[in-house]
């Protein structure tokens, strides 16, 4: 990693992207997940990262949030090299990033209200009455003020995800990472989520990264789309540009064709070799 | 043949790697200890979970163990005409050995397994990752209070076990079998030494509290984050803790009383 070159980069000049990834390599054991990814997340926009299951979309979010360390390459978040930061600086940066986990990841022994209050209590010292108003406001934003006193196990999957979203915006972050926000949602929650993501982004000047493989939903809200496959960015542009991209890779994904240049199978030796036991 | 050696080598390496990870985790847990002064409530909640909720099982087990000691002790001692020393025998067995050891085994089964499952589930449901992303250190926040609660609760529970056990021995020995009341207590007072017996027993139970809680937390934290992984980690945690307690008891006994 050539972090030394970038540590003196002036932080947060307006036109610089909020997240800047260059030549990212990442491996899990022997398996190469990323082999040279370049990617920019522009401020104030919704950027979608798409790709088939198992391409490493979740892994990319874990890299951006500093949970994993790249094998090589640079990764700047708001001008700071996230993997060269001290623990304290990393935590300071993370208070400005919200993440919506695939499962919601609510703390199961706290009520909905306490879950949303949790990051605020941890990082600020607000009088209880102010805190209460703030939390109820966040819950109101996701339409769940009435569920404040429920325990997480009493929530449906869609509600849990919205509570998790309220928690993710509790500290008014500069950026929210959404991991597969649309999977497993009924059509109504889906519509609610899609418009919530758009509203939150535009109302509070957030930057959003949406990781997903649901082409329709993503194309309806994203400003910018990156398509990943086999460890690389195979296409990048607005939804309209992607739809018009003649490349068979992109067409396969956008049109949802079962086979094409992107293989449906996890890498494996030829079937005959496995069957014959050698 | 060669394969067996390779297998053995892999098993050895992975054991050493686990020990390394467990040690690193322990350092991180202890390094987070300062937070408990800032937020004593976290510790108190876990003292309740690990300590108070184990009171009943520890007290009942202590009573039965003490009663059995009274019966067995009386049978043996009366063969030598030494039934008056029953109090000493019961108290020494409990304070030196059975109190710390049986309490540790009970806590490993009752509280340790719960800790492993809880941490493992928090990991598999991404709650630990969520904390990390909210800039809250999950080790400091979740593991540290549980660890110190275990270390603090164990000697108290062991003391309770021994005290109730002595009452059980008294009930059977004096109440049922007719050992002299005065001799039971006075010989016990005379022969049980504060440093040799009681302090050594307390040291044992502090060590056991440390080891049982550490093993339980590590297995949860290191669990493969799936249902099967967590269930395996829970079993492994209890088995490892039980073996560690018994093995360490032998070593400590040899050092203290050998
Ligand atoms: N903890 C892990 N250990 C080893 N391999 C993993 C782990 N998590 C994910 N993988 C592998 O990394 C690849 C990318 O995973 P992931 O980022 O979850 O994909 P996506 O979110 O795009 O579906 C997958 O092939 C998966 O098998
Ligand atoms: Mg994923």
């Amino acid at each position: 990693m050539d972090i030394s070159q970038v540590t003196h980069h002036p932080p947060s000049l307006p036109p610089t992207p909020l997240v800047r990834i260059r030549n990212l390599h990442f491996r899990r054991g022997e398996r190469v997940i990323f082999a040279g990814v370049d990617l920019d997340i522009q401020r104030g926009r919704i950027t979608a990262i798409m790709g088939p299951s198992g391409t490493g979309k979740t892994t990319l979010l874990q890299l951006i949030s500093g949970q994993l360390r790249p094998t090589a390459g640079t990764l700047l978040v708001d001008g700071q090299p996230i993997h060269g930061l001290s623990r304290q600086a990393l935590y300071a940066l993370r208070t400005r990033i919200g993440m919506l986990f695939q499962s919601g990841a609510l703390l199961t022994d706290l009520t909905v209200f306490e879950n949303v209050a949790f990051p605020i209590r941890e990082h600020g010292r607000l009088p209880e009455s102010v805190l209460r108003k703030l939390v109820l406001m966040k819950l109101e934003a996701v339409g769940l003020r009435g569920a404040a006193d429920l325990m997480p196990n009493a929530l449906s999957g869609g509600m849990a995800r919205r509570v998790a979203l309220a928690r993710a915006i509790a500290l008014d972050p500069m950026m929210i990472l959404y991991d597969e926000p649309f999977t497993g949602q009924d059509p109504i929650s889906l519509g609610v989520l899609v418009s919530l993501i758009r509203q939150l982004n535009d109302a509070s000047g957030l930057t959003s990264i949406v990781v997903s493989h649901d082409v329709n939903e993503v194309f309806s809200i994203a400003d910018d789309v990156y398509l990943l496959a086999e460890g690389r960015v195979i296409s990048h542009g607005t939804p309209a540009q992607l739809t018009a991209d003649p490349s068979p890779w992109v067409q396969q994904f956008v049109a949802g064709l079962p086979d094409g240049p992107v293989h449906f199978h996890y890498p494996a030796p030829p079937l005959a070799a496995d069957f014959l036991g050698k | 043949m060669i394969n067996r050696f390779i297998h053995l080598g892999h098993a050895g390496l992975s054991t050493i790697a686990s020990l390394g990870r467990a040690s690193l985790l322990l350092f991180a847990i202890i390094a987070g200890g300062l937070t408990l002064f800032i937020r004593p409530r976290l510790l108190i909640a876990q003292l309740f979970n690990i300590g108070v909720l184990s009171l009943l099982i520890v007290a009942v087990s202590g009573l039965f163990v003490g009663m059995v000691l009274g019966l067995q002790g009386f049978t043996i001692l009366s063969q030598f005409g030494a039934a008056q020393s029953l109090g000493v025998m019961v108290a020494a067995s409990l304070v030196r050995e059975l109190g710390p050891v049986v309490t540790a085994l009970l806590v490993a089964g009752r509280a340790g397994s719960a800790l492993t499952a809880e941490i493992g589930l928090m990991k598999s449901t991404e709650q630990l990752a969520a904390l990390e992303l909210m800039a809250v250190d999950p080790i400091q926040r979740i593991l540290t209070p549980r660890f110190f609660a275990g270390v603090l609760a164990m000697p108290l529970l062991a003391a309770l076990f021994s005290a109730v056990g002595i009452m059980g021995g008294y009930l059977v020995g004096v109440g049922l079998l007719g050992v002299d009341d005065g001799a039971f207590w006075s010989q016990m007072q005379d022969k049980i030494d504060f440093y040799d017996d009681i302090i050594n027993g307390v040291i044992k139970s502090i060590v056991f509290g440390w080891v049982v809680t550490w093993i339980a937390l590590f297995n949860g934290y290191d669990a493969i984050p799936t249902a099967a992984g967590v269930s395996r980690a829970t079993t492994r945690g209890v088995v490892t803790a039980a073996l560690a307690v018994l093995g360490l008891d032998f070593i400590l006994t040899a050092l203290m009383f050998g």
Side-chain angles (χ1 to χ4, degrees):
Chain A
M1 274 195 289
D2 51 354
I3 281 165
S4 56
Q5 298 176 10
V6 293
T7 40
H8 300 295
H9 188 86
S12 39
L13 286 180
T16 60
L18 186 57
V19 177
R20 186 184 170 88
I21 297 176
R22 286 294 173 272
N23 193 30
L24 176 73
H25 288 256
F26 184 73
R27 223 184 295 144
R28 281 194 194 269
E30 291 296 297
R31 193 166 144 67
V32 175
I33 311 282
F34 296 118
V37 167
D38 293 342
L39 195 148
D40 286 328
I41 308 289
Q42 303 297 342
R43 287 166 198 273
R45 297 219 207 149
I46 298 178
T47 303
I49 303 197
M50 308 197 68
S53 285
T55 11
K57 302 181 298 292
T58 301
T59 307
L60 185 65
L61 292 186
Q62 290 172 331
L63 285 160
I64 292 175
S65 55
Q67 290 169 276
L68 293 174
R69 195 163 263 288
T71 322
T74 54
L75 216 154
L76 302 183
V77 178
D78 200 21
Q80 306 180 55
I82 192 149
H83 298 96
L85 295 178
S86 69
R87 193 173 176 72
Q88 217 175 2
L90 177 64
Y91 273 15
L93 187 59
R94 278 190 186 154
T95 58
R96 299 163 59 212
I97 301 176
M99 169 135 180
L100 188 67
F101 284 84
Q102 224 161 332
S103 60
L106 297 175
L107 300 174
T108 41
D109 56 346
L110 299 179
T111 61
V112 164
F113 181 92
E114 286 302 324
N115 260 289
V116 179
F118 185 87
I120 309 175
R121 288 194 202 283
E122 284 296 318
H123 297 293
R125 208 145 286 172
L126 290 181
E128 201 57 30
S129 61
V130 180
L131 178 99
R132 193 177 156 71
K133 285 195 192 103
L134 188 59
V135 170
L136 291 179
M137 246 168 59
K138 300 292 176 189
L139 280 171
E140 177 76 14
V142 298
L144 287 177
R145 189 165 44 85
D149 295 325
L150 296 182
M151 293 303 283
N153 59 13
L155 301 175
S156 72
M159 285 160 82
R161 214 167 286 183
R162 275 147 69 195
V163 173
L165 182 53
R167 180 178 70 177
I169 57 172
L171 291 177
D172 295 321
M174 60 176 178
M175 169 165 80
I176 303 190
L177 315 177
Y178 298 90
D179 193 359
E180 308 272 10
F182 310 123
T183 41
Q185 299 286 326
D186 62 78
I188 299 175
S189 340
L190 198 66
V192 171
L193 263 169
V194 169
S195 59
L196 256 177
I197 293 176
R198 186 79 251 177
Q199 264 175 31
L200 283 174
N201 193 81
D202 299 350
S204 9
L206 278 168
T207 303
S208 311
I209 305 181
V210 179
V211 149
S212 180
H213 50 230
D214 298 294
V215 178
N216 293 333
E217 284 74 28
V218 166
F219 277 23
S220 71
I221 52 167
D223 300 311
D224 208 11
V225 181
Y226 281 89
L227 190 51
L228 299 180
E230 303 189 344
R232 295 172 186 284
V233 174
I234 57 170
S235 184
H236 166 222
T238 62
Q241 283 169 334
L242 253 70
T243 317
D245 190 327
S247 141
W249 296 77
V250 181
Q251 282 314 310
Q252 187 201 346
F253 191 82
V254 173
L257 306 175
D259 227 340
V262 180
H263 299 298
F264 152 73
H265 291 283
Y266 191 87
L271 192 58
D274 258 358
F275 277 8
L276 298 175
K278 194 70 204 121
Chain B
M1 188 64 204
I2 291 276
N3 271 339
R4 224 173 271 170
F5 278 114
I6 293 176
H7 190 74
L8 199 67
H10 276 303
L13 284 179
S14 85
T15 307
I16 292 172
S18 301
L19 275 176
R21 286 198 305 280
S23 309
L24 288 177
L25 182 69
L26 183 63
F27 284 130
I29 286 174
I30 293 175
L34 269 184
T35 45
L36 297 182
F37 290 100
I38 305 166
R39 292 166 186 261
R41 256 200 230 169
L42 291 176
L43 180 66
I44 291 166
Q46 294 310 319
L47 274 173
F48 181 81
N49 269 339
I50 297 174
V52 177
L53 294 183
S54 303
L55 279 179
L56 188 65
I57 185 178
V58 166
V60 172
S61 312
L63 185 68
F64 283 125
V65 168
M67 285 163 65
V68 169
L69 279 177
L71 268 178
Q72 292 280 18
F74 181 80
T75 321
I76 296 175
L77 290 175
S78 55
Q79 288 174 15
F80 304 100
Q84 305 307 320
S85 308
L86 184 65
V88 184
M89 201 220 95
V90 168
S93 327
L94 282 169
V95 172
R96 285 181 172 194
E97 290 296 336
L98 292 172
V101 172
V102 178
T103 307
L105 296 178
L106 290 172
V107 170
R110 149 82 201 38
S113 58
L115 285 180
T116 309
E118 186 187 17
I119 306 289
L121 279 174
M122 288 188 84
K123 181 179 181 184
S124 69
T125 53
E126 296 181 305
Q127 294 181 52
L128 295 183
L131 285 175
E132 179 76 28
L133 278 175
M134 287 188 278
V136 173
D137 183 345
I139 295 182
Q140 216 176 63
R141 173 79 194 200
I142 304 290
L143 272 62
T144 297
R146 284 165 176 75
F147 176 75
F148 284 102
V151 175
L152 282 176
M154 190 70 90
L156 298 175
L157 290 170
L160 176 79
F161 185 98
S162 298
V164 175
I166 290 171
M167 290 314 296
Y170 175 82
L171 282 179
V172 169
V174 177
L176 289 179
L177 302 172
V179 174
D180 182 60
D181 194 350
F184 185 90
W185 293 116
S186 64
Q187 289 215 17
M188 191 192 302
Q189 254 187 1
D190 197 37
K191 291 279 162 38
I192 300 290
D193 186 76
F194 181 68
Y195 291 101
D196 272 355
D197 296 310
I198 296 182
I199 292 293
N200 276 339
V202 170
I203 292 175
K204 273 188 182 179
S205 61
I206 291 176
V207 172
F208 294 161
W210 176 291
V211 169
V212 165
T213 327
W214 176 26
I215 291 176
L217 292 174
F218 171 68
N219 275 292
Y221 194 72
D222 208 49
I224 298 165
T226 59
V230 173
S231 100
R232 220 175 315 134
T234 309
T235 310
R236 183 153 24 102
V238 174
V239 171
T240 319
L243 292 178
V245 164
L246 296 172
L248 273 173
D249 184 48
F250 175 73
I251 296 174
L252 288 173
T253 305
L255 289 175
M256 290 168 173
F257 307 104

